[in-house]
């Protein structure tokens, strides 16, 4: 019994489970919360806009701004290419993150916590409802950390694998710079000073979720993340080659096809609130559904 309890304590993350042949009961969602494939838009011509940000550096700036504003009004999302973040920086951090989840359970569990105020924590299978006594959970592991400003927060990050801190620092700085460039373009598109979103609006710490979706024995019974809207001003997502992301468009879900070296940019609720006071409402409705691979 002692050995069984010890084993149970170690296997807190899904990625440390023995490969299950069927989905454990506590990850089986009620029928009404399962993936609704019948609601998935089958028309492959409906896709997120792909915006080449390189044009914003020259004479095409107004055109790029217009494309971003239209994407916000129509989808609340777009895919950004030629964004200035080096492919080596993106892949370097993705590899370090994957290596983190491949480490032995004991090494990862040094960071395990359900305390939401921690600067860095690992957790698993977020609950579907805080009021449901059945404790049904989603199928994902997550490393959640505050990643910017780097010099203030780096000492909180995992020190293993050895490359993790160095690669995250490069990635966090590069993506922060991209986010600030995007916010300057959005501000101009709203008819504001390009520095409108600087200062107190974006001066806090930047949060990052490193989501890890172990292979699922039956994706039809569960989800990786609950349907949701991001509450922040802007989310910049590195989707990699993992399918499963969906967004809602005109009442139907559409799948977001992964693009090489692209970022999915998500307009958050705080940005919607700000734009409400400036221009006719720009509404952004979205959800994330990731089944894992």
């Amino acid at each position: 019994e002692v050995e069984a309890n010890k084993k149970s304590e170690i296997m807190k993350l899904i990625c440390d489970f023995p490969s299950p042949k069927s989905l454990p009961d506590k990850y089986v969602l009620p029928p009404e919360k399962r993936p609704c494939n019948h609601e998935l838009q089958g028309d492959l011509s409906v896709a997120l806009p792909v915006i080449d940000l390189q044009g914003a550096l020259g004479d095409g700036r107004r055109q790029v701004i217009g494309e971003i504003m239209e994407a916000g009004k129509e989808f609340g999302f777009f895919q950004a290419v030629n964004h200035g973040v080096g492919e080596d920086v993106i892949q370097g951090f993705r590899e370090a993150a994957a290596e983190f989840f491949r480490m032995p359970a004991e090494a990862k569990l040094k960071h395990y916590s359900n305390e939401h105020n921690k600067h860095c924590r690992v957790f698993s299978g977020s609950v579907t409802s805080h009021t449901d006594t059945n404790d049904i959970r989603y199928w994902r592991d997550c490393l959640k950390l505050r990643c910017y400003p780097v010099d203030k927060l780096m000492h909180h990050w995992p020190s293993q694998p050895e490359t993790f801190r160095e690669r995250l620092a490069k990635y966090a700085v590069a993506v922060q710079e991209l986010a600030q460039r995007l916010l300057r373009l959005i501000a101009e598109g709203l008819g504001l000073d390009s520095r409108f979103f600087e200062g107190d609006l974006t001066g806090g710490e930047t949060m990052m979720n490193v989501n890890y979706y172990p292979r699922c024995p039956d994706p039809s019974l569960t989800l990786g993340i609950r349907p949701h809207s991001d509450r922040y001003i802007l989310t910049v997502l590195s989707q990699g080659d993992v399918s499963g992301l969906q967004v809602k468009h005109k009442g139907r879900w559409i799948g977001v096809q992964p693009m090489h070296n692209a970022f999915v940019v998500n307009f958050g609720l705080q940005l919607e609130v700000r734009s409400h006071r400036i221009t006719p409402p720009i509404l952004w409705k979205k959800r994330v559904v990731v089944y894992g691979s």
Side-chain angles (χ1 to χ4, degrees):
E1 183 178 348
V2 173
E3 187 63 29
N5 288 339
K6 182 178 179 182
K7 185 176 181 181
S8 175
E9 180 69 18
I10 288 175
M11 289 194 304
K12 287 185 174 180
L13 299 177
I14 300 171
C15 62
D16 294 322
F17 290 0
S19 297
K21 300 225 187 311
S22 62
L23 195 67
D25 288 345
K26 75 173 182 177
Y27 297 97
V28 177
L29 299 179
E32 67 275 11
K33 291 187 177 181
R34 293 176 190 172
C36 300
N37 290 331
H38 64 280
E39 294 182 5
L40 189 61
Q41 174 65 260
D43 183 0
L44 296 180
S45 66
V46 180
L48 293 190
V50 178
I51 300 179
D52 187 338
L53 296 182
Q54 190 169 14
L57 301 176
D59 295 338
R61 187 176 183 86
R62 296 308 309 172
Q63 178 179 339
V64 171
I65 290 173
E67 291 174 359
I68 291 174
M69 301 308 293
E70 284 304 311
K73 294 174 183 177
E74 180 72 12
F75 293 93
F77 284 81
F78 66 89
Q79 298 218 53
V81 297
N82 291 327
H83 41 64
V85 181
E87 184 174 358
D88 59 329
V89 174
I90 298 171
Q91 288 303 117
F93 177 62
R94 291 185 66 88
E95 290 167 7
E99 189 177 348
F100 172 85
F101 283 101
R102 288 194 298 265
M103 292 195 306
E106 295 89 339
K108 296 192 289 284
L109 292 181
K110 293 177 182 177
H111 306 283
Y112 190 92
S113 177
N114 289 315
E115 296 180 22
H116 292 268
N117 61 346
K118 291 183 72 71
H119 285 74
C120 174
R121 68 186 183 101
V122 177
F123 61 94
S124 184
S126 51
V127 294
T128 58
S129 171
H130 293 289
T131 59
D132 188 346
T133 56
N134 292 326
D135 194 29
I136 304 299
R137 293 177 173 266
Y138 292 101
W139 187 262
R140 72 154 174 168
D141 295 325
C142 181
L143 171 61
K144 187 181 187 75
L145 44 79
R146 301 179 189 185
C147 65
Y148 192 89
V150 167
D151 55 354
K152 176 183 176 183
L153 298 168
M154 182 185 289
H155 67 282
H156 292 289
W157 303 344
S159 58
Q160 297 295 324
E162 291 183 1
T163 60
F164 188 90
R165 288 183 175 178
E166 175 189 356
R167 292 185 178 185
L168 173 54
K170 291 180 180 178
Y171 180 85
V173 169
V175 174
Q176 185 76 15
E177 291 174 352
L178 169 60
Q180 291 298 331
R181 291 203 307 273
L182 289 171
L183 288 173
R184 286 194 288 271
L185 295 171
I186 292 169
E188 291 180 36
L190 292 171
L192 304 169
D193 185 282
S194 63
R195 296 168 295 178
F196 177 80
F197 291 106
E198 296 178 11
D200 291 342
L201 281 177
T202 57
E205 296 171 348
T206 300
M207 301 296 300
M208 174 186 288
N209 281 356
V210 183
N211 292 319
Y212 186 82
Y213 305 98
R215 186 174 295 277
C216 181
D218 192 345
S220 69
L221 299 178
T222 192
L223 297 174
I225 297 182
R226 76 182 72 224
H228 69 280
S229 296
D230 283 354
R231 65 181 183 271
Y232 303 106
I233 288 182
L234 205 66
T235 297
V236 181
L237 170 66
S238 174
Q239 190 179 5
D241 57 359
V242 178
S243 299
L245 176 69
Q246 297 177 10
V247 304
K248 199 162 197 179
H249 177 252
K250 296 182 178 179
R252 300 292 298 275
W253 298 111
I254 61 172
V256 180
Q257 298 302 314
M259 291 187 62
H260 179 70
N261 202 37
F263 283 110
V264 177
V265 179
N266 178 352
F267 293 61
L269 294 177
Q270 290 184 32
L271 185 56
E272 180 180 351
V273 170
R274 289 286 170 177
S275 70
H276 244 294
R277 300 175 181 178
I278 300 162
T279 189
I282 299 175
L283 301 179
W284 299 299
K285 297 179 181 179
K286 59 286 220 182
R287 80 167 177 178
V288 177
V289 178
V290 185
Y291 301 145
S293 61

